[in-house]
Amino acid sequence: MSETSRSQAHLHRDPSAAPGPVGTRAPGARRTAAGVSELVQAALPLIAEWLPTQRWYAGKGRPIAALVPVIGTPLQVGDPALLHLLLRVEHGGAASGPGDVYQLLLGIRSERPAAVGQRAVLGRLAGGTYDGAVLYDAVHDPELTGRLLEHLATGDRFGSLCFRRTPGPGLPGNIPGRASTAEQSNSSVIYDTAFILKLFRRISPGTNPDLELSLALSRAGSTRIPRVAAWFECRLERSEPATLGLLQRYLPDAEDGWELALDQVARLKGDPSPGNFAIEAHRLGRATAEVHRVLARSMPTTRLDAPRIAELAGAMADRLDAAVTAVPGLLRYRSALRSAFQQLTSAHLDGLPVQRIHGDLHLGQAMRTPQGWVLLDFEGEPAKPLAERRLPQPALRDVAAMLRSFDYAAAHLLAGAPAPDPQLAHLASAWAARNRAAYCAGYTAGGGADPSASPELMRALEIDKAVYEVVYEARHRPSWLPIPLAAINRLAHSV
């Protein structure tokens, strides 16, 4: 047996599913654990080829040592069939740890449906009951994603895989779902203009912060997030349940904050007047403060004493040192940046309040609706461990992250220029400064702590975010590296 198939899945059956044919054989005729295990084993070689090509796969550049099925659950049998699979990917070596668990929704049909593009196809299964059937990513199959919505609507349970609904009006169970094209670290399915389902791809035990905070805000009556309608979860190896998916109200009339900002920036080339985005930035600041206030009322808060503030600053310094190793161009700034972290410690000897926050706030996580700004995706930075993302943080960390987003938007004014243009650089800098100030003013007006009253904290938090950006851009988008490096240069020399 190969390394990619050295372990059998723990398997559940769907007692309500009816048998039906796939290809020339009938998968429903073998709805036993052995039958599902046979399917999983036949799928593993195809998964091993397909998985590293996905945008949400975190193991790029590392060879797969083993694929270990964790739990396989048939959600529909017949033609088409739908298999829910949790799969551990191991890379080998003590440093790699136990591996990452990924969530896959696999469709099986005798032939590829027209709605499923070729890029979503893993290949044809060879051997066994499903011999010759097409295996594909079911996120792109409207019929099968509609089946997933039915499970959410009825609150079904298959072993440790549980679908849960929030109180309120019933969910429709007959809407086909279309895959969103805006995929990042997860996948999303949109149901008409009513709901959007986020499918978390990289799975960790514990409640995902996106579900945890969205539920808290929904229950508190906040209008600054899409209301939570349902979710599903699964218990992994006696741990607390892991969040697998989150269904929320869809915002069909909303405009993406990042796209709005880029549109305003692009207009500066023809009209250097300020425009009106500063008004929106102010409103967005107020919305952020409102969310922070509700989270502070709904979730535990605490106060860091001096030793724990020193730990906070020390963690920032450690991230800086690791970044210097990865991007040597940071070395000349290290002394000044470490000094900023030390100033954070000395400026807050009387303590620092912390609470639950968004954790990865930027313009792309904000939507402007006719009723005002709405914040999305409270998952935090996906690269960080889930336990770390659930820790209370200074609320101004979200503010600092949004300030960095304004800098990124402004930098698009300079993109593609064959040579530096001092006039455009000035316009971009002025646009960023104007909207950064408007956002902070709106945050203060909305009841948030005045960022200008905590300059050492704001400087340290913005540096910490820019250091993260430097490493990310160096690894994934080298042409964007000058954007965070410009911020590092500015922050290193600010007082």
Side-chain angles (χ1 to χ4, degrees):
M1 183 177 290
S2 70
E3 277 297 293
T4 57
S5 60
R6 64 180 177 83
S7 175
Q8 301 295 318
H10 300 289
L11 302 162
H12 304 311
R13 294 194 303 161
D14 180 354
S16 65
V22 171
T24 59
R25 303 192 183 182
R30 294 186 61 187
R31 288 189 291 138
T32 64
V36 178
S37 178
E38 179 187 79
L39 168 60
V40 171
Q41 296 305 314
L44 287 180
L46 300 177
I47 293 172
E49 293 291 329
W50 173 80
L51 193 61
T53 68
Q54 300 309 295
R55 167 68 177 82
W56 39 262
Y57 179 65
K60 289 181 173 61
R62 295 183 291 167
I64 295 176
L67 295 180
V68 183
V70 178
I71 300 176
T73 308
L75 299 180
Q76 176 169 305
V77 298
D79 190 352
L82 176 61
L83 175 69
H84 181 273
L85 180 62
L86 295 178
L87 185 73
R88 177 175 290 108
V89 180
E90 297 179 354
H91 298 286
S96 65
D100 295 321
V101 174
Y102 291 91
Q103 174 179 206
L104 304 181
L105 281 175
L106 299 175
I108 306 102
R109 289 183 184 260
S110 55
E111 296 296 337
R112 175 174 66 88
V116 176
Q118 188 61 45
R119 293 183 63 183
V121 174
L122 282 71
R124 286 192 179 269
L125 296 165
T129 305
Y130 300 87
D131 185 40
V134 177
L135 184 73
Y136 58 94
D137 183 5
V139 169
H140 299 272
D141 186 331
E143 180 182 346
L144 293 183
T145 52
R147 178 64 170 154
L148 199 60
L149 182 63
E150 290 177 7
H151 289 310
L152 288 163
T154 54
D156 291 338
R157 178 169 186 161
F158 305 94
S160 62
L161 180 62
C162 298
F163 295 84
R164 303 187 183 278
R165 283 179 43 196
T166 57
L171 295 174
N174 57 353
I175 304 177
R178 58 182 174 86
S180 170
T181 58
E183 304 299 349
Q184 296 184 14
S185 58
N186 300 294
S187 298
S188 295
V189 178
I190 300 168
Y191 295 95
D192 196 21
T193 59
F195 299 99
I196 182 168
L197 174 65
K198 178 193 283 189
L199 294 167
F200 300 104
R201 290 295 196 167
R202 194 178 180 191
I203 305 301
S204 299
T207 304
N208 191 287
D210 201 2
L211 171 62
E212 185 180 20
L213 300 187
S214 295
L215 274 177
L217 290 162
S218 291
R219 289 166 177 166
S222 175
T223 60
R224 295 300 185 178
I225 63 158
R227 185 180 68 81
V228 176
W231 72 95
F232 66 109
E233 61 192 18
C234 187
R235 190 176 298 276
L236 303 175
E237 300 172 355
R238 299 182 180 179
S239 63
E240 61 177 313
T243 308
L244 302 178
L246 172 61
L247 185 75
Q248 292 177 285
R249 287 287 179 181
Y250 186 54
L251 305 173
D253 298 325
E255 298 177 275
D256 182 277
W258 176 249
E259 297 300 329
L260 284 172
L262 292 189
D263 179 69
Q264 287 290 324
V265 168
R267 295 182 185 184
L268 292 176
K269 290 185 178 181
D271 179 7
S273 61
N276 65 353
F277 197 78
I279 298 174
E280 295 297 341
H282 189 277
R283 291 170 177 164
L284 180 55
R286 290 189 69 103
T288 306
E290 289 178 28
V291 168
H292 283 169
R293 284 165 42 210
V294 175
L295 288 176
R297 292 196 306 265
S298 307
M299 307 286 288
T301 62
T302 187
R303 190 173 185 86
L304 302 183
D305 57 17
R308 293 182 65 190
I309 295 173
E311 290 179 9
L312 176 67
M316 293 179 181
D318 290 343
R319 287 191 286 270
L320 171 62
D321 291 342
V324 169
T325 301
V327 186
L330 282 173
L331 180 60
R332 62 187 180 127
Y333 301 110
R334 179 161 61 178
S335 177
L337 300 181
R338 288 183 69 93
S339 176
F341 299 148
Q342 293 169 358
Q343 291 171 17
L344 165 62
T345 303
S346 60
H348 292 275
L349 296 177
D350 58 342
L352 179 66
V354 291
Q355 66 167 84
R356 297 299 297 275
I357 63 172
H358 184 284
D360 188 27
L361 192 60
H362 53 77
L363 286 164
Q365 309 282 41
M367 303 289 284
R368 188 181 68 177
T369 74
Q371 293 74 40
W373 284 97
V374 170
L375 304 187
L376 307 174
D377 298 333
F378 286 75
E379 188 179 356
E381 292 179 356
K384 292 183 178 179
L386 186 142
E388 183 178 337
R389 287 183 269 146
R390 296 177 70 184
L391 292 174
Q393 298 284 337
L396 289 180
R397 185 180 286 278
D398 278 346
V399 175
M402 184 61 77
L403 298 188
R404 296 292 313 120
S405 193
F406 285 119
D407 275 0
Y408 262 78
H412 275 248
L413 188 63
L414 311 176
D421 185 325
Q423 182 179 5
L424 286 182
H426 174 75
L427 288 174
S429 177
W431 186 92
R434 181 167 56 250
N435 287 286
R436 285 163 59 100
Y439 178 79
C440 289
Y443 184 78
T444 305
D450 183 357
S452 66
S454 303
E456 295 86 1
L457 176 60
M458 282 300 300
R459 184 185 180 208
L461 292 172
E462 195 172 352
I463 289 171
D464 194 39
K465 184 66 174 179
V467 166
Y468 168 86
E469 294 165 352
V470 165
V471 176
Y472 181 89
E473 304 300 4
R475 289 176 178 170
H476 303 285
R477 301 182 297 194
S479 63
W480 288 36
L481 186 56
I483 299 175
L485 282 178
I488 291 290
N489 181 67
R490 168 176 59 80
L491 292 162
H493 295 96
S494 63
V495 178

